[in-house]
């Protein structure tokens, strides 16, 4: 059993603050503390997969990163458009404050639960969040696919009602890397 009986830390990340608020309220029974505003971070104690847990719930606001050409390719009047087909691309933080929040709040996280939209873009944002909160899970697939070592989970839900949120917690899955990569390929 992971944690050896100690209290574990679970970070939950939603796609937007309103969903974050609904998740925290549903899972804490309305008994949580909040700090920060946009996005907020709600904290409470509960159980996660049979273990006592400190839960943190926060959100992003859409994509965390975008893709762009390096500065050497930014001057459109000096760059031959044909060279862009072979030019490298960079991952750029959309909102540096969100990256900072995820990295800081994610310190010491034992488990990560992703509450992002149930579409390809949502899957892509899952992996953006994983790279900020649990970068080791990007290298070690066993941490994010089913099995005893899984530490990254994906919540699937169709409504933000208390019953749907609690139902999603009972059937956590894994983020879909193939769907995420399909978004990367189209950028």
């Amino acid at each position: 059993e992971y944690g050896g009986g100690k209290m574990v830390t679970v970070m939950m990340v939603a796609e937007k603050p309103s969903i974050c608020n609904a998740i925290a309220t549903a899972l804490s029974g309305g008994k949580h503390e909040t700090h920060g505003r946009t996005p907020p971070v709600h904290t409470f104690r509960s159980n996660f997969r049979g273990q006592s847990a400190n839960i943190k719930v926060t959100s992003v606001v859409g994509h965390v990163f975008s893709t762009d050409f390096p500065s050497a390719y930014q001057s459109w009047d000096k760059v031959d458009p044909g060279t862009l087909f072979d030019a490298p691309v960079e991952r750029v933080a959309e909102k540096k404050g969100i990256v900072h929040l995820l990295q800081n709040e994610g310190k010491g996280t034992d488990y990560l639960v992703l509450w992002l939209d149930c579409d390809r873009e949502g899957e892509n944002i899952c992996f953006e969040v994983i790279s900020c909160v649990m970068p080791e899970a990007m290298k070690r697939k066993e941490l994010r696919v089913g099995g005893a070592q899984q530490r990254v989970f994906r919540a699937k839900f169709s409504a933000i009602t208390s019953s749907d949120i609690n139902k999603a917690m009972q059937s956590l899955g894994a983020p879909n890397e193939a769907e995420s990569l399909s978004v990367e390929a189209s950028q």
Side-chain angles (χ1 to χ4, degrees):
E1 177 184 70
Y2 185 78
K6 75 173 180 104
M7 185 169 290
V8 296
T9 299
V10 180
M11 184 167 176
M12 300 186 181
V13 181
E15 189 148 349
K16 52 190 160 202
S18 60
I19 295 173
C20 156
N21 296 340
I23 292 165
T25 299
L27 297 180
S28 72
K31 297 177 180 162
H32 58 268
E33 294 181 17
T34 303
H35 68 273
R37 293 206 280 184
T38 307
V41 179
H42 304 290
T43 57
F44 57 95
R45 289 196 173 168
S46 187
N47 288 304
F48 182 76
R49 303 182 72 77
Q51 299 176 81
S52 295
N54 286 316
I55 311 280
K56 295 179 185 183
V57 185
T58 191
S59 76
V60 294
V61 185
H63 277 279
V64 180
F65 296 100
S66 63
T67 304
D68 205 349
F69 292 111
S71 59
Y73 295 89
Q74 296 283 323
S75 182
W76 295 108
D77 57 335
K78 296 177 184 168
V79 175
D80 174 10
T83 64
L84 298 176
F85 289 104
D86 296 318
V89 292
E90 299 175 326
R91 194 168 89 147
V92 180
E94 285 276 318
K95 300 161 193 85
K96 290 185 175 130
I98 296 288
V99 172
H100 185 72
L101 173 89
L102 292 172
Q103 290 171 336
N104 283 340
E105 293 295 335
K107 287 179 183 164
T109 294
D110 297 302
Y111 296 97
L112 177 61
V113 181
L114 302 159
W115 295 81
L116 298 141
D117 287 356
C118 296
D119 57 19
R120 291 181 327 136
E121 294 291 334
E123 293 300 328
N124 188 247
I125 297 169
C126 282
F127 283 87
E128 293 175 353
V129 170
I130 294 167
S131 74
C132 293
V133 177
M134 276 189 174
E136 71 276 12
M138 295 298 288
K139 299 177 197 122
R140 297 181 51 210
K141 193 171 186 171
E142 70 272 13
L143 297 179
R144 57 183 202 285
V145 296
Q149 294 184 38
Q150 185 174 3
R151 300 289 171 260
V152 178
F153 296 88
R154 179 76 161 96
K156 299 272 185 165
F157 59 101
S158 56
I160 55 170
T161 63
S162 184
S163 63
D164 278 14
I165 290 167
N166 283 292
K167 183 177 166 187
M169 278 298 292
Q170 300 307 311
S171 58
L172 295 174
N176 186 321
E177 188 171 19
E179 286 188 14
S180 174
L181 290 172
S182 73
V183 173
E184 294 285 323
S186 69
Q187 292 180 347

